[in-house]
Amino acid sequence: RQVAAAADTVGATVLSSPRDIAVLFDKRLCHGELSAAGVPVPMSPTSGGGAEPVRGWADVRARLASAGLRRAFVKSAHGSSASGVLAVEVAGPGRVRATTSVERSADGRLFNSLRVRRYGTEAEVAAIVDALAPDGLHIERWLPKASQRGRAADLRVVVVGGRATHAVVRT
């Protein structure tokens, strides 16, 4: 907003509104905007600007339970390239597994190593989620990806003016 205001005072044209940029870089807001526009998105208990913030693992557990989700993605609200994303599976009290590229050092700091690993105890998963929560978290239903010969893939499509202009297959 400050940059846009400064640009306006010197007569420069801002091409994207500060609000649109904020939505673009916040998964919770973007998810809510897409849903409101009729774009199919996975169910999310954190979607939109009115959702209560997720303060840690206890909140994630409560949101999963209230939404009836046993498998969900817990994502850093402002991350990219799978940074801070956990694929969480809950099977009952104390039965939790998370698949992620988040690596936790001995002193509790987090790193995105890009090497996928599994955490199989609730204490491990809770420690990671609690460390990520202050930066904001987004939760959404884990939908299975298309797969062929054991390799999962998804498709990223850029749409401009209602027309698909670019597509990328990710495996």
Side-chain angles (χ1 to χ4, degrees):
R1 286 188 292 261
Q2 291 173 331
V3 170
D8 188 49
T9 57
V10 297
T13 302
V14 177
L15 300 178
S16 297
S17 77
R19 182 197 172 283
D20 289 347
I21 293 169
V23 168
L24 179 67
F25 285 95
D26 188 319
K27 288 178 180 66
R28 301 162 298 191
L29 297 177
C30 188
H31 194 278
E33 291 280 323
L34 290 171
S35 181
V39 176
V41 291
M43 181 276 164
S44 170
T46 57
S47 181
E52 286 290 317
V54 176
R55 291 182 176 81
W57 176 244
D59 283 355
V60 169
R61 270 292 221 168
R63 302 276 178 95
L64 294 176
S66 67
L69 296 175
R70 295 184 57 202
R71 298 179 70 198
F73 287 110
V74 177
K75 302 178 176 187
S76 205
H78 308 287
S80 65
S81 301
S83 296
V85 174
L86 292 90
V88 176
E89 299 173 87
V90 179
R95 296 184 57 205
V96 175
R97 179 172 59 187
T99 305
T100 182
S101 61
V102 173
E103 181 177 348
R104 194 163 170 256
S105 67
D107 64 0
R109 292 185 301 156
L110 304 181
F111 299 92
N112 186 24
S113 71
L114 297 180
R115 186 175 68 85
V116 176
R117 58 184 34 84
R118 286 207 168 103
Y119 294 97
T121 70
E122 190 153 2
E124 291 173 313
V125 176
I128 293 169
V129 170
D130 289 346
L132 292 171
D135 291 327
L137 293 175
H138 175 64
I139 303 167
E140 65 184 39
R141 179 182 305 276
W142 174 356
L143 297 175
K145 292 183 178 183
S147 64
Q148 185 175 23
R149 295 187 192 131
R151 293 209 44 191
D154 66 12
L155 187 63
R156 298 294 168 103
V157 180
V158 176
V159 177
V160 178
R163 183 174 164 264
T165 59
H166 299 79
V168 177
V169 177
R170 298 181 345 144
T171 63

